[in-house]
Amino acid sequence: MSGEVPSNDKQGILNHLKSVLEKIPGEGRNKVIVAHGFPEGVGLGQIPYMGTVIVKPKGEGNGYDIVGRLSLADWSTFES
């Protein structure tokens, strides 16, 4: 998030992000969100270049856990 965004706007954006990440997808579904990195300790924190953050929602109002981070190099080790 840019330093040019007013702090109250930043907080609103982060609150909305949290509410989206808390929602458990329907049975047999996953949710994919494309984003950029956040400062350390904010939102999802730093995201590796071309990387992925894996989030497990706990349900609305219960937060979420970051259960993994994959870099581009990690993806190249998976077999299809």
Side-chain angles (χ1 to χ4, degrees), residues 4 23 34-35 45 50 61:
E4 299 173 21
K23 291 180 185 169
V34 178
M50 299 292 292

Side-chain angles (χ1 to χ4, degrees), residues 40-61:
E40 189 65 35
V42 176
L44 298 175
Q46 292 295 332
I47 299 173
Y49 175 71
M50 299 292 292
T52 304
V53 177
I54 303 165
V55 175
K56 181 177 181 179
K58 296 180 179 181
E60 292 182 53

Side-chain angles (χ1 to χ4, degrees), residues 9-80:
D9 289 347
K10 284 183 193 179
Q11 193 57 53
I13 291 166
L14 291 171
N15 289 342
H16 179 71
L17 171 64
K18 181 179 178 194
S19 72
V20 168
L21 295 175
E22 289 177 338
K23 291 180 185 169
I24 299 172
E27 179 88 22
R29 296 183 173 259
N30 290 311
K31 184 185 307 180
V32 175
I33 300 171
V34 178
H36 297 280
F38 293 87
E40 189 65 35
V42 176
L44 298 175
Q46 292 295 332
I47 299 173
Y49 175 71
M50 299 292 292
T52 304
V53 177
I54 303 165
V55 175
K56 181 177 181 179
K58 296 180 179 181
E60 292 182 53
N62 295 312
Y64 57 90
D65 290 325
I66 296 175
V67 296
R69 293 180 187 275
L70 299 171
S71 68
L72 181 59
D74 294 328
W75 281 106
S76 68
T77 64
F78 295 125
E79 293 182 28
S80 54

